Amino acid sequence: IVLDELNLAPTDVLEALNRLLDDNRELFIPETQERVSAHPSFMLFATQNPAGTYGGRKELSRAFRNRFVELHFCDIPSTELKEILEKRCRLPKSHCTKLVHILSD
């Protein structure tokens, strides 16, 4: 499962995920009083933008973040971004230049 923008999730969702990612690997559903165990092959991936850089994002606790392997990425340089757009999206160079310019403004 991939969760995008994890640090925008409500606190109760993060608490539920914390239980799922601990040694018990189970999710408690309060409405039904049911416990659901994760499949042995279950893996969770999450993305987020840094707190403070983008509006509404909160800093996740160190304990919660320790349940993940963190990878940090820098912005893609403009020249590479243009090349990706041109080759992957098959857009004309002029369109790629305009799109990257819009992004950087």
Side-chain angles (χ1 to χ4, degrees):
I1 294 176
V2 177
L3 301 176
D4 190 29
E5 298 290 356
L6 182 62
N7 57 342
L8 286 175
T11 303
D12 56 336
V13 170
L14 296 175
E15 289 172 7
L17 286 172
N18 197 36
R19 283 189 56 106
L20 182 64
L21 297 171
D22 70 10
D23 292 337
N24 294 334
R25 294 179 54 91
E26 65 182 20
L27 185 64
F28 178 69
I29 304 169
E31 295 81 7
T32 63
Q33 298 295 305
E34 183 180 3
R35 293 182 195 284
V36 180
S37 295
H39 186 277
S41 299
F42 172 78
M43 292 179 21
L44 179 73
F45 299 88
T47 68
Q48 71 174 35
N49 284 305
T53 307
Y54 297 91
R57 279 132 183 103
K58 57 184 154 287
E59 187 73 36
L60 299 175
S61 72
R62 173 55 56 197
F64 186 74
R65 289 174 53 199
N66 282 341
R67 301 196 185 284
F68 294 90
V69 173
E70 290 188 13
L71 302 173
H72 298 265
F73 297 94
C74 298
D75 290 336
I76 299 172
S78 296
T79 54
E80 288 182 35
L81 194 51
K82 287 178 198 175
E83 185 177 344
I84 291 168
L85 287 169
E86 185 181 347
K87 291 183 178 179
R88 291 292 203 137
C89 302
R90 299 181 183 172
L91 295 173
K93 279 188 180 187
S94 61
H95 287 64
C96 298
T97 301
K98 288 177 186 175
L99 288 169
V100 170
H101 180 71
I102 290 168
L103 175 68
S104 62
D105 282 349

